[in-house]
Amino acid sequence: MKINGVHYRSIALNDDGWSVRIFDQRALPWELVHVQLTTLEQAARAIAEMWTRGAPMIAATAAYGLSLGLREDASDAALQKGYETLLATRPTAVNLRWALDEMLSAVKPYQGQARIDAAYKRAGEICDEDVEINRNIGLSGLPLLREMAKKKSGAPLNILTHCNAGWLATVDYGTISAPIYMAHDEGIDIHVWVDETRPRNQGALLTAYELQQHGVPHTVIADNAGGLLMQRGQVDLCLVGTDRVTRNGDVCNKIGTYLKALAAHDNNVPFYIALPYPTIDYSMESGDFIPIEERSAREVTHMSGRKADGSVEEFQITLSDGANPAFDITPARLVSGYITERGILKQVCNGESDEPIFMADVA
Amino acid sequence: MKINGVHYRSIALNDDGWSVRIFDQRALPWELVHVQLTTLEQAARAIAEMWTRGAPMIAATAAYGLSLGLREDASDAALQKGYETLLATRPTAVNLRWALDEMLSAVKPYQGQARIDAAYKRAGEICDEDVEINRNIGLSGLPLLREMAKKKSGAPLNILTHCNAGWLATVDYGTISAPIYMAHDEGIDIHVWVDETRPRNQGALLTAYELQQHGVPHTVIADNAGGLLMQRGQVDLCLVGTDRVTRNGDVCNKIGTYLKALAAHDNNVPFYIALPYPTIDYSMESGDFIPIEERSAREVTHMSGRKADGSVEEFQITLSDGANPAFDITPARLVSGYITERGILKQVCNGESDEPIFMADVA
């Protein structure tokens, strides 16, 4: 990913070899704030308060968070406590638990400095693997975009996305953005409708920022607008990320995704999910069982913005109380396909076994 | 309608007998600003810039606006010019043209002062008729709410609404709010989920304010949240207003309505429209022909809010460009019924003739 032309990852070790640099995504797009994480508690806070967010980035931050914790206390008790602290930060994404379990397996055989070294090694690998996964999601999705763009005979390919599943949500590339950037880079004319994504506005703030930095034409719209755009034929493809896909193919993603999937289905617009394969939780039968995070109502009743004088401030936008469920479930029946690093899946589960059915096998 | 316990209409003649008082709805809920309209141009501006809004209120404001214009110049030429100026303010609602045509018929036979008198008389009648229409919409809808509340055996009846179709959108009562207030007043336990309604936030600002003033329990939610609430069984009924219903029953309403109708249909939640019968445009075959207003992108990229110091200011909320279509079309197939002052309609058109089919006749 590039910010003002400089290549960054969303999370990286500092030159000291142990402290961790993330961006405070709450300050974007107004300001690029580098944050140094030096303790497990900071990492936990950064996840819970959404300085950093997105299922893969939560996983990477938790992995380094556990490493930071072990650096202070490498005992079994501290390891277990740290695991639980980090696991409790956000309930919905499956990637968090996956990364913490990976870390646990990696460090358990060791004690003391060897344990700390093993932790940093595995955290680094988790990040590198995430980059490679996202790059391969891009390669899986690229032929689909090429194919769809051909049918537009010169007109821009209009993609609608919700929330942020770009590089800010991952270590690099992004799940939905990897194929978009690759297609854009090879000259395909792409335009992205960016759902604002209330209440935290990840679309208007983060996705729009990313696309701007990469030079991809895009337009921010109210979350309400996507239905009309699809009615009018102004959307060729919906492409969103996910925090967890269950065995039956149900998709948990940012609140509002389900509404767009319904509109896509009603207007014959393909609706694709881009995700790392490990986001599929084969242990969970359907979306009915996914815990839906209930976040603070203040995220609905207040928001931040930039004033005329350039400073950023929080302001109140209603006098009433709010409710703030953060995710919803898009039933598998509304999903056209799942773009993963292994290829595009038609179904995530092939009947009895946990093997997916690939789109190529269907065609 | 009551504001701090005092009864108001949303529009009224001042004591001088000719100037017109409305509220600047852009200041709500933070401040109750009375605006005096003294010219046709002011009335046109109040409609176009949405100091006042809602299909019936636009009609009433235009009617008085034309009266104000005639007061300055009662000639045929001025009448025609005023008609056109007011008609051009907002393109989507059918009520605006209806009210202006009513005014034209009423004043055409007269000249000079007699024309002015006829204008004020008809404008006053249009307002009184609107009040009576809305009261009767309430009486039509009340039995439905009573029936649904019974099935909840003591739990609150959860109604989801979008945008503002309350008294601020009409001269008094409101279309969706008339039955809600009546049910609440007779002791039915009602709770309203209030869609924020981006980009202008009429729900979070106006509907929430109205419900608060009337003491009806309510919760503001992001427009994205309604789908999940319906998936969870937390919505018993959707109830929205409309700017125009076509002969086939398609419903044009604030952008985002269609998405809620899809979710209601997908979860077997009844989806009702509350409307004055004249909102049905029998001259238009289907929603495909309704002009959809495209409003300024600034409404998406900027918004107003109250700062910690209590002052209200405009904020920028994205660095990117926006698009801002203001309405969408909910196909008739997604509508359970149309609550009008004449009763609840199952279909707005009975085949060849323009007579509706009433719900009672279906049952």
Side-chain angles (χ1 to χ4, degrees), chain A residues 186-206:
Chain A
E186 71 176 35
I188 294 174
D189 190 1
I190 283 188
H191 167 262
V192 183
W193 296 110
V194 180
D195 269 4
E196 178 180 37
T197 319
R198 289 282 296 143
R200 288 187 65 98
N201 300 31
Q202 291 96 333
L205 299 172
L206 305 181

Side-chain angles (χ1 to χ4, degrees), chain A residues 132-350:
Chain A
E132 197 50 22
I133 282 172
N134 281 279
R135 202 177 64 82
N136 280 298
I137 290 171
L139 294 173
S140 295
L142 182 56
L144 178 72
L145 299 196
R146 276 190 196 133
E147 211 49 47
M148 298 195 76
K150 265 188 213 157
K151 292 181 194 151
K152 297 286 292 182
S153 47
L157 182 69
N158 285 301
I159 299 175
L160 183 143
T161 192
H162 190 72
C163 199
N164 173 265
W167 47 248
L168 285 162
T170 66
V171 179
D172 204 347
Y173 289 105
T175 54
I176 71 122
S177 54
I180 290 176
Y181 293 148
M182 286 177 185
H184 172 82
D185 289 349
E186 71 176 35
I188 294 174
D189 190 1
I190 283 188
H191 167 262
V192 183
W193 296 110
V194 180
D195 269 4
E196 178 180 37
T197 319
R198 289 282 296 143
R200 288 187 65 98
N201 300 31
Q202 291 96 333
L205 299 172
L206 305 181
T207 302
Y209 174 76
E210 281 196 16
L211 292 167
Q212 201 166 51
Q213 290 290 335
H214 201 95
V216 181
H218 64 283
T219 309
V220 173
I221 49 173
D223 299 304
N224 287 320
L228 176 76
L229 296 177
M230 292 191 230
Q231 287 177 320
R232 283 176 170 173
Q234 292 176 284
V235 179
D236 299 304
L237 166 72
C238 294
L239 190 52
V240 300
T242 175
D243 295 77
R244 189 181 321 215
V245 171
T246 52
R247 197 166 186 276
N248 70 339
D250 287 353
V251 175
C252 182
N253 191 39
K254 183 57 52 197
I255 191 87
T257 303
Y258 166 53
L259 296 173
K260 293 301 141 59
L262 285 168
H265 189 259
D266 203 42
N267 294 283
N268 295 313
V269 174
F271 192 90
Y272 280 88
I273 315 296
L275 72 162
Y277 190 76
T279 308
I280 303 170
D281 183 354
Y282 282 108
S283 75
M284 202 172 264
E285 211 45 54
S286 82
D288 300 344
F289 302 99
I290 300 178
I292 303 286
E293 180 177 11
E294 195 78 31
R295 295 187 60 84
S296 162
R298 198 178 171 87
E299 295 184 349
V300 174
T301 60
H302 292 65
M303 73 189 281
S304 281
R306 187 166 71 167
K307 295 189 294 183
D309 68 8
S311 65
V312 175
E313 194 171 321
E314 190 191 53
F315 52 105
Q316 186 176 2
I317 55 173
T318 180
L319 281 172
S320 297
D321 291 336
N324 186 16
F327 299 89
D328 62 22
I329 307 296
T330 297
R333 65 185 146 88
L334 302 177
V335 178
S336 307
Y338 307 80
I339 304 173
T340 77
E341 69 276 21
R342 292 178 56 181
I344 303 184
L345 319 182
K346 181 69 191 161
Q347 290 174 213
V348 304
C349 176
N350 177 4

Side-chain angles (χ1 to χ4, degrees), chain B residues 248-321:
Chain B
N248 71 339
D250 287 353
V251 174
C252 182
N253 192 42
K254 183 56 53 197
I255 191 88
T257 302
Y258 166 54
L259 296 172
K260 293 302 140 60
L262 286 168
H265 189 258
D266 203 43
N267 293 282
N268 295 312
V269 174
F271 192 89
Y272 280 89
I273 315 295
L275 73 162
Y277 189 76
T279 307
I280 303 170
D281 183 353
Y282 282 108
S283 75
M284 202 171 262
E285 210 46 52
S286 82
D288 299 343
F289 302 99
I290 300 178
I292 302 287
E293 181 178 8
E294 195 77 33
R295 294 187 60 84
S296 162
R298 198 178 171 89
E299 295 184 350
V300 174
T301 59
H302 291 67
M303 74 188 282
S304 281
R306 187 165 71 168
K307 295 188 295 183
D309 68 8
S311 65
V312 175
E313 196 171 320
E314 193 190 50
F315 294 77
Q316 185 176 4
I317 54 173
T318 182
L319 281 174
S320 296
D321 290 335

